[in-house]
Structure formats: structure tokens, C-alpha cells
């Protein structure tokens, strides 16, 4: 068979219906597999939502924050598994790859890669411990790896933390070695108020008591009436009264800001001024008199 006949045969094959029918059939199978995978993922996510919704009426109770974390994790794991199976089906049933030997080789290669990818393995293991030990959950305000913010997502390998200034930090779970969780227990607002020595301690405490008694009604995140601890410090030009207040988890800073604002307004209306630095000045004659007095005392 000469070159011309081979070219003609190749042209007939490329323009013939058999090739395009097989390509069309393969593309159709791929589309069907992808659509089926998307449907399975969508249905599974709806089932997970319904399952957790029915659990609210059941005997097993978990916190809302942990529920949000588990729901997101289960949905992600299901999506990974379904898409992985879909890829295997496309490779085996459509493209004609032998998946069995490929998986066997992947197992051996995975073992070798595991020794080289120790950080990846550490991240995944740390992710399991974070989730199942309930160290923190989606929506918690935490301090982790030198970053403070709200947990947006917890995955098996990374955790996403949104800081209050808007930056989204993606942290490998292996770097989560110490966690400060502000969202589990009630917070404590600590406010120090400086009062000048010209004012009476009892008058200042009475004015403060009058305003703190109304704060729980004004602010939902303040739990109970704030308490005056007493005089915390004696400074050069003022003494310090400390107030503490229980708040909802994560609201201790908001509690401090609002308590300061309300107390400042009340003290101003009561005629108690904020202390200011004082400078004592002497004239030249006064200075000589003071020096003479000191000499006389020294004698």
C-alpha cells in the first residue's frame, strides 16, 4: 500500500461516520456521568440538611456551631468521593484506561509520596483532631497562629479565618498548635475609670451604679448588671475605679466600649470631670523662699 492509499484511508476514517459517532457517544457518556455526579452531590447535600434538621427533635443534641462545621465537612467529603468515582468511570468506561492496575500503582506511589509529603499528612491528621475534638467550629471567633478572626471554613487540610479588617487567612491545619477560642464561654469586660482626687469616691461610685444598672436593658450582649470592684489604683492625679461585666461570648470588647461611653456621659452629667495632668509653677521669689525653708530644715 503506497502513501496515497494510506492518506486516502486515513481521510476516509476521519470523515467517516464511525469516528464521529464514537466521539459523540463518548462525549455523551462523559456529560451523563458529570450530570449524574452533580445530581448525586445535590441530593446528598439536601439529605444532610434534612438529617440535621430532624436531629433537632431527636435525643442527640449538639451545639449549633458544631452542627455547621459537621454539615460542611460531610458535604465536602461526599463531593470529593463522588467526583473521584466519576473521574474513574470516565477513565474506565469512556477513555478505555485500565483502572485496576492504575489504582494498584497509585497505592504503591501513594505510600512513597506519603513519606515525602509529611506536612500534608500532618495537616490532614490535625484537621481530624480539630473537628472531632471540637477545638473550634465555623463561626467561632478565635486566636490561632498569631491571627484573630472568625472561622469561615474548616477543611481536612486547611482552615480559613476571616479577620475583622477583612483579610481571609488560609492556615494549614498542621500550624494550629495553640488555639484561643473566644466563643465558648461568656466574656468578661474590664473597664477602668479614672476619677480626679477632687471628687469623692462614694459620689463617683453612686453615679456609676446609676448607669450600669440600666445597661442590661440597653445592650442584649451584657449579661447581668456590671459590678464595681472598687478602687484599683492610686495615681499622681487620680484614682482608678474598676468595673467588670459578663457578656455573651465574643462581645467583651463591645461591652467595654459601650460601658465607657455610658459611664463617661453619666460622670459628665454628675459634674465629675476626667482628670488631666497638672503643672505647678513657681516664680523666682517663691523659689528662693522654698530654698530657704529647705536650708532651715536641714539645719
Amino acid at each position: 500500500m503506497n502513501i496515497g492509499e494510506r492518506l486516502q484511508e486515513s481521510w476516509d476514517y476521519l470523515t467517516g461516520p464511525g469516528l464521529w459517532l464514537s466521539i459523540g457517544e463518548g462525549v455523551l457518556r462523559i456529560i451523563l456521568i458529570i450530570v449524574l455526579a452533580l445530581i448525586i452531590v445535590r441530593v446528598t447535600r439536601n439529605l444532610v440538611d434534612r438529617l440535621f434538621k430532624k436531629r433537632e427533635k431527636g435525643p442527640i443534641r449538639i451545639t449549633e456551631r458544631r452542627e455547621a462545621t459537621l454539615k460542611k465537612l460531610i458535604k465536602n467529603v461526599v463531593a470529593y468521593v463522588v467526583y473521584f468515582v466519576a473521574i474513574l468511570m470516565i477513565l474506565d468506561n469512556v477513555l478505555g484506561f485500565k483502572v485496576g492496575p492504575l489504582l494498584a500503582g497509585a497505592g504503591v506511589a501513594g505510600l512513597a509520596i506519603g513519606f515525602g509529603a509529611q506536612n500534608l499528612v500532618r495537616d490532614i491528621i490535625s484537621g481530624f483532631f480539630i473537628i472531632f475534638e471540637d477545638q473550634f467550629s465555623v463561626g467561632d471567633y478565635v486566636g490561632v497562629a498569631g491571627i484573630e478572626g472568625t472561622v469561615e471554613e474548616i477543611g481536612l487540610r486547611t482552615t480559613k479565618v476571616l479577620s475583622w479588617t477583612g483579610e481571609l487567612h488560609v492556615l494549614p491545619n498542621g500550624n494550629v498548635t495553640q488555639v484561643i477560642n473566644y466563643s465558648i464561654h461568656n466574656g468578661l469586660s474590664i473597664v477602668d475609670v479614672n476619677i480626679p482626687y477632687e471628687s469623692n469616691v462614694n459620689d463617683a461610685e453612686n453615679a456609676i451604679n446609676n448607669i450600669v444598672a440600666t445597661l442590661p436593658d440597653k445592650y442584649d450582649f451584657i449579661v447581668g448588671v456590671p459590678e464595681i470592684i472598687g478602687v484599683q489604683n492610686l495615681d499622681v492625679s487620680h484614682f482608678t475605679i474598676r468595673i467588670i461585666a459578663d457578656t455573651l461570648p465574643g462581645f467583651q470588647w463591645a461591652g467595654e466600649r459601650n460601658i465607657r461611653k455610658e459611664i463617661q456621659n453619666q460622670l459628665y452629667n454628675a459634674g465629675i470631670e476626667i482628670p488631666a495632668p497638672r503643672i505647678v509653677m513657681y516664680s523666682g521669689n517663691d523659689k528662693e523662699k522654698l530654698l530657704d525653708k529647705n536650708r532651715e530644715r536641714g539645719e
Side-chain angles (χ1 to χ4, degrees), residues 273-292:
E273 298 180 356
I274 296 298
R278 291 168 174 79
I279 299 176
V280 179
M281 300 181 65
Y282 297 97
S283 65
N285 295 332
D286 293 334
K287 180 179 178 181
E288 293 297 332
K289 292 178 181 179
L290 289 173
L291 291 174
D292 292 339

Side-chain angles (χ1 to χ4, degrees), residues 13-211:
Y13 176 74
L14 292 174
T15 57
L19 174 63
W20 296 105
L21 286 175
S22 61
I23 292 176
E25 183 181 357
V27 171
L28 182 60
R29 286 184 179 180
I30 293 174
I31 294 174
L32 289 176
I33 292 174
I34 294 175
V35 171
L36 181 62
L38 293 174
I39 292 174
I40 292 175
V41 171
R42 178 71 63 83
V43 171
T44 304
R45 288 179 175 177
N46 291 334
L47 289 176
V48 171
D49 290 335
R50 292 183 181 180
L51 178 64
F52 277 90
K53 193 172 183 180
K54 290 182 179 180
R55 181 210 53 77
E56 295 176 357
K57 302 178 181 179
I60 302 177
R61 299 287 182 179
I62 59 176
T63 60
E64 183 178 353
R65 40 186 287 280
R66 184 161 175 78
E67 177 181 327
T69 302
L70 292 177
K71 283 171 64 175
K72 203 158 193 176
L73 177 64
I74 292 173
K75 290 178 181 179
N76 288 337
V77 171
V78 169
Y80 294 153
V81 172
V82 172
Y83 292 147
F84 179 72
V85 173
I87 292 173
L88 292 181
M89 292 177 63
I90 292 174
L91 292 175
D92 190 5
N93 298 332
V94 179
L95 302 180
F97 289 96
K98 298 298 182 181
V99 178
L102 185 64
L103 292 177
V108 177
L111 183 62
I113 293 173
F115 288 104
Q118 295 182 10
N119 290 337
L120 177 62
V121 175
R122 183 188 64 177
D123 293 340
I124 294 175
I125 293 175
S126 299
F128 273 111
F129 280 109
I130 289 172
I131 293 169
F132 291 107
E133 289 182 355
D134 195 21
Q135 298 179 13
F136 53 85
S137 300
V138 173
D140 287 357
Y141 190 87
V142 300
V144 55
I147 297 169
E148 284 192 5
T150 304
V151 179
E152 291 288 306
E153 182 179 339
I154 302 175
L156 291 180
R157 195 185 70 83
T158 60
T159 295
K160 297 180 180 179
V161 179
L162 181 65
S163 64
W164 68 277
T165 51
E167 297 88 358
L168 182 65
H169 303 272
V170 181
L171 305 173
N173 290 330
N175 291 349
V176 181
T177 57
Q178 186 176 2
V179 179
I180 302 174
N181 195 329
Y182 298 97
S183 300
I184 296 180
H185 301 292
N186 283 347
L188 183 67
S189 296
I190 302 176
V191 177
D192 289 336
V193 180
N194 297 329
I195 306 296
Y197 285 119
E198 290 82 0
S199 300
N200 184 271
V201 176
N202 293 329
D203 293 340
E205 290 186 347
N206 290 334
I208 294 173
N209 274 323
N210 290 335
I211 188 60

Side-chain angles (χ1 to χ4, degrees), residues 267-278:
L267 293 179
Y268 180 79
N269 295 331
I272 300 175
E273 298 180 356
I274 296 298
R278 291 168 174 79

